[in-house]
């Protein structure tokens, strides 16, 4: 199969500081479905929505069994609440260089773009639409937090939806150690951008680390992309 598949993370990679309303929707859905109201702080960067919500629910006394029983309703409620509170525009939250990179990639033959994100798909699609990036990512493609609670499973799901895309022609772009870990779990290469909450040194397990989308673009549009495409 010719070409290369690029799998992009969203929060901290394509978009910066665009998660406040998303977090509000998660908490609102926990309250609506489980009656949870006592929320503490749990790790969020690089994790799936379900993993985050499960930890928040546990802090509020919701058992794992009860959480699982209401999960389908929770996912639906989260999407509905996010649609209500998502800002009309997230264009100011696009990470430096990412719009320019996606525009360049759009015109490159043999380059496919998809998503691997812990966001539920309905949330991810709306975020990208409001940020002006939705047109770069086709419906029916990608791996999302609504597909699996474990992020490690998402790259393989995205590759399968792209037509059983081979590992050796796939690159994942992310901003957290968990992005790196999920790529490694699927046996694919990973490029990190230090635009999220982690410094470059904390992302050193990636195949390469870049300062931002502009820096990444210079590599992807040059030797890096040519090598991946074979």
């Amino acid at each position: 199969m010719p070409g290369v598949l690029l799998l992009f993370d969203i929060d901290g990679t394509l978009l910066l500081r665009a998660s406040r309303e998303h977090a509000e929707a998660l908490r609102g859905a926990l309250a609506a479905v489980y009656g949870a109201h006592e929320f503490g702080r749990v790790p969020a960067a690089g994790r799936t929505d379900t993993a985050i919500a499960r930890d928040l629910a546990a802090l509020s006394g919701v058992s794992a069994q009860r959480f699982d029983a209401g999960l389908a309703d929770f996912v639906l409620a989260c999407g509905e609440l996010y649609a209500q509170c998502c800002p009309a525009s997230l264009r100011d939250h696009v990470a430096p260089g990412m719009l320019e990179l996606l525009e360049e990639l759009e015109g490159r033959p043999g380059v496919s773009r998809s998503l691997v994100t812990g966001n539920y798909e309905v949330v991810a699609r709306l975020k990208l639409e409001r940020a002006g990036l939705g047109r770069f990512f086709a419906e029916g493609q990608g791996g999302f937090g609504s597909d699996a609670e474990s992020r490690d499973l998402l790259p393989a799901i995205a590759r399968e939806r792209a037509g059983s895309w081979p590992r050796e022609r796939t690159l994942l772009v992310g901003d957290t150690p968990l992005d790196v870990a999920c790529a490694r779990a699927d046996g694919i290469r990973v490029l990190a951008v230090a635009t999220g909450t982690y410094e470059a040194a904390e992302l050193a397990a990636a195949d390469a680390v870049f300062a931002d989308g502009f820096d990444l673009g210079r590599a992807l549009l040059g030797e890096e992309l040519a090598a991946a495409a074979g």
Side-chain angles (χ1 to χ4, degrees), residues 98-108 135-136:
M98 285 300 182
L99 174 59
E100 293 82 355
L101 172 58
L102 291 172
E103 288 176 337
E104 287 287 341
L105 293 174
E106 190 175 32
R108 293 242 170 170
R135 70 185 189 274
F136 298 112

Side-chain angles (χ1 to χ4, degrees), residues 10-12 15-29 39 41 44-45 49 52 56 78 81-90 93 119 123 127 197:
I10 295 180
D11 296 307
L15 303 181
L16 304 182
R17 298 177 295 280
S19 298
R20 182 170 65 85
E21 292 80 11
H22 183 183
E24 290 175 359
L26 280 175
R27 287 173 169 79
F39 301 121
R41 294 181 64 86
D49 282 354
I52 296 166
L56 288 171
C78 182
L81 288 171
Y82 185 67
Q84 295 171 19
C85 67
C86 181
S89 176
L90 290 171
H93 294 270
N119 291 191
V123 173
K127 276 187 185 179
T197 58

Side-chain angles (χ1 to χ4, degrees), residues 131-195:
L133 303 181
R135 70 185 189 274
F136 298 112
F137 300 98
E139 296 285 341
Q141 298 292 312
F144 304 88
S146 39
D147 294 315
E149 184 170 351
S150 171
R151 194 183 184 104
D152 286 357
L153 301 178
L154 301 186
I157 291 172
R159 289 191 302 100
E160 178 65 24
R161 287 175 175 162
S164 299
W165 203 281
R167 289 180 172 88
E168 64 271 17
R169 294 185 182 274
T170 303
L171 289 172
L172 187 144
V173 180
D175 70 291
T176 76
L178 291 180
D179 294 322
V180 177
C182 81
R184 296 301 184 217
D186 191 43
I188 62 176
R189 296 179 62 202
V190 54
L191 307 177
V193 285
T195 47

